Amino acid sequence: MSDVLAFVDANLGRFRAELYDFLRIQSISTQKEHEGDMRRAAEWLAERMREAGLEASIHDTPGHPVVLGEWRGAGESAPTVLIYGHYDVQPPEPLDEWASPPFEPTERDGKVFARGSADDKGQLYMHVKAVEAHTKANGKLPVNVIVLAEGEEEVGSDNLVPFVEKHVERLACDHVVISDSNMFDEGLPSVLFSLRGLAYFEIHVKGARSDLHSGQFGGTVVNPGNALAAIVASLHDADGRVAIEGFYDDVATWEDDILDGIRALPFDEEEYRRSLDVPKLGGEKGFTALERLWVRPTCDVNGILCGYTGEGAKTVLPNKAMAKVSFRLVPDQTPERVKELFEAHVRKVAPEGVTVEIKALHGGRPWRTRPQGKLVDAAGKALEQAFGVRPVLQGEGGSIPIVVDFEEKLNASALLVGFALPGCNLHAPNEWFELAAFDNGIKALCLLYENLA
Ligand code: BES
Ligand code: ZN
């Protein structure tokens, strides 16, 4: 094993340089104009997988390609680990808020700044390098490995479920390992016990046949902007709870040891508030910030469009309004049930005089596990060895929709161990990844594969 870790140490400079090449590819899955870049990223990744000793293949889907890298030389008695990650990234806008260009990786203060550095190209690439360290230093891996990299995580993974269903046998594995989340804090690694799910909608409100003069018509027709505001305002009560009937019915209660564990984590709400530059934290009354993030569901407006928003004043009565509204779900809520409840609520509160339509965009189920057993022990030891401190257990407020499908369809248990840091600007300007976490994380992954064998 020391050869493998020595290989990592000796090659860290090259690993980083390669990652920066990966980060230069503008693999933005949601934008049509980047379709070519998506393919280039898939091909680049497949080539690096081959260099790492994996047999790589690219699989077309109705959307962006899936890249598979396989090594099955450990034999049938050894476990098979499926490593999942994504090579697509979020759009970088607003561009003028980046201190250095989003697709020109730049090192500052022990971090690399670039879109995708943390989410998820940097973390996916750590696995490729951990695999390479084993194959180059030892000529083999301690476990059978399948690396599955998708290009549609940021747009809901719609084509991945059919891909997994079609290739259940090829993807058969004992464990799924995913690095697409955070450590608890700088120098403090963690293993996840949960992810929230997602249910995402658009509310379209339509009024008169066209925009109208707000003086000539105001007071006689219902303004879609006012109507949408009323609908949005009806979604929460004064205690910050979601005011949709039945919304909390399926919210599971959590085991005491998990709740005690959350309370024991070194987390200062005041420091968190300051780091976000807000005058006061918000959310559901009666819960701590970490509980509100990890074990409670939420409802948030993601965007609103209506009327005149240009320079100066325009007296207009707009004829349409639209809001994007999403829910983060916790076990045992489902996107389907929340859709029913949300639609019934909007029907009930929508003012007369306008037509209201709801469009459902993507969703994903929440995930939860009892973090114990061989997989978590192996990860705990590996992280402790590489970072010099015992990892903590934590939940996560974000979503990775495919995790539940992996567990169900492949009948395997998932381990979520991420290396990004809180505050690393995922989906925002100036996304960064800590270089020390990249280096130590690769070693932790090398040790993890070893411990699983
Ligand atoms: N890596 C994130 C999930 C995540 C976010 C983990 C924050 C840990 C902390 C992932 O790429 C992501 O952004 N997922 C989307 C899923 C959605 C598009 C279905 C999310 O959570 O919004
Ligand atoms: Zn993301």
Side-chain angles (χ1 to χ4, degrees):
M1 198 55 209
S2 56
D3 294 355
V4 176
L5 299 182
F7 182 90
V8 173
D9 271 324
N11 287 276
L12 282 171
R14 171 172 65 82
F15 290 177
R16 287 184 194 175
E18 289 171 4
L19 170 62
Y20 300 169
D21 283 341
F22 194 19
L23 294 174
R24 283 188 192 98
I25 307 175
Q26 304 192 24
S27 51
I28 308 167
S29 51
T30 196
Q31 295 174 349
K32 191 89 189 135
E33 71 204 81
H34 289 290
E35 222 176 298
D37 291 320
M38 289 301 298
R39 179 151 297 270
R40 272 207 305 135
E43 280 164 3
W44 185 94
L45 185 59
E47 205 41 55
R48 298 292 88 67
M49 284 180 178
R50 282 178 200 118
E51 286 169 9
L54 298 165
E55 202 162 296
S57 51
I58 296 181
H59 303 258
D60 288 330
T61 74
H64 301 300
V66 170
V67 185
L68 276 190
E70 295 161 279
W71 191 88
R72 297 172 193 279
E76 284 192 6
S77 59
T80 299
V81 179
L82 178 103
I83 297 158
Y84 162 84
H86 62 96
Y87 66 88
D88 65 326
V89 302
Q90 290 275 334
E93 286 79 12
L95 291 174
D96 57 356
E97 286 185 28
W98 284 80
S100 50
F103 295 102
E104 190 42 63
T106 307
E107 290 185 9
R108 290 194 296 277
D109 314 324
K111 304 164 177 165
V112 56
F113 287 80
R115 173 57 89 232
S117 54
D119 185 10
D120 175 43
K121 283 159 138 181
Q123 302 198 53
L124 167 62
Y125 204 57
M126 289 164 70
H127 279 279
V128 178
K129 295 296 99 177
V131 165
E132 177 186 317
H134 276 285
T135 59
K136 293 265 167 73
N138 264 347
K140 60 183 170 55
L141 278 152
V143 289
N144 300 303
V145 164
I146 307 166
V147 183
L148 189 168
E150 76 154 318
E152 299 190 298
E153 196 275 346
E154 299 292 9
V155 290
S157 301
D158 282 349
N159 294 302
L160 191 57
V161 177
F163 180 88
V164 172
E165 281 168 347
K166 190 169 158 205
H167 298 281
V168 199
E169 276 172 30
R170 185 166 179 179
L171 300 178
C173 59
D174 301 283
H175 311 297
V176 178
V177 177
I178 302 177
S179 299
D180 187 21
S181 54
N182 287 355
M183 312 209 302
F184 186 73
D185 203 353
E186 192 178 332
L188 182 52
S190 67
V191 169
L192 298 195
F193 57 73
S194 68
L195 287 164
R196 288 197 289 193
L198 185 71
Y200 202 123
F201 305 96
E202 284 177 4
I203 311 174
H204 292 261
V205 181
K206 209 180 151 315
R209 64 174 156 74
S210 73
D211 284 358
L212 302 168
H213 187 291
S214 68
Q216 197 178 14
F217 295 94
T220 60
V221 295
V222 176
N223 180 326
N226 299 8
L228 180 63
I231 296 170
V232 167
S234 76
L235 293 170
H236 291 91
D237 69 13
D239 290 333
R241 281 172 64 87
V242 176
I244 295 178
E245 215 181 303
F247 183 75
Y248 292 95
D249 287 359
D250 296 331
V251 171
T253 50
W254 289 72
E255 297 89 350
D256 285 336
D257 59 326
I258 296 280
L259 295 175
D260 291 344
I262 296 176
R263 277 178 217 120
L265 286 169
F267 185 81
D268 180 349
E269 293 204 8
E270 176 53 21
E271 203 179 302
Y272 178 69
R273 181 197 69 74
R274 248 183 283 123
S275 77
L276 295 171
D277 209 4
V278 289
K280 189 174 189 291
L281 293 180
E284 191 182 355
K285 217 168 153 178
F287 296 91
T288 66
L290 290 183
E291 287 167 344
R292 300 201 301 272
L293 277 174
W294 299 343
V295 302
R296 300 298 296 171
T298 56
C299 168
D300 275 294
V301 168
N302 297 106
I304 288 196
L305 204 61
C306 178
Y308 180 72
T309 56
E311 200 184 338
K314 177 186 180 191
T315 48
V316 65
L317 203 163
N319 79 328
K320 55 178 190 272
M322 190 275 283
K324 297 194 184 249
V325 173
S326 69
F327 297 83
R328 291 288 168 172
L329 313 181
V330 299
D332 298 312
Q333 293 179 300
T334 64
E336 294 75 24
R337 181 70 186 138
V338 166
K339 176 171 183 277
E340 285 169 13
L341 297 170
F342 177 60
E343 284 173 343
H345 175 87
V346 173
R347 267 199 303 276
K348 197 171 75 191
V349 300
E352 285 180 46
V354 287
T355 51
V356 178
E357 251 181 83
I358 292 175
K359 250 202 231 167
L361 305 185
H362 52 227
R365 283 178 290 172
W367 170 80
R368 157 195 204 179
T369 189
R370 290 272 326 143
Q372 58 192 18
K374 181 184 160 178
L375 189 57
V376 174
D377 290 347
K381 271 193 224 136
L383 290 166
E384 185 167 2
Q385 238 180 301
F387 285 85
V389 20
R390 273 174 80 97
V392 296
L393 293 174
Q394 71 161 97
E396 180 48 65
S399 311
I400 308 176
I402 199 66
V403 178
V404 180
D405 296 287
F406 276 144
E407 286 198 334
E408 283 178 6
K409 295 187 170 42
L410 303 177
N411 192 27
S413 50
L415 171 75
L416 277 90
V417 50
F419 300 98
L421 287 184
C424 70
N425 299 326
L426 302 182
H427 296 201
N430 303 308
E431 177 178 349
W432 54 267
F433 196 57
E434 194 203 23
L435 295 168
F438 179 75
D439 300 352
N440 291 331
I442 294 173
K443 292 179 196 164
L445 295 174
C446 290
L447 291 158
L448 170 65
Y449 307 155
E450 182 74 27
N451 293 349
L452 283 173

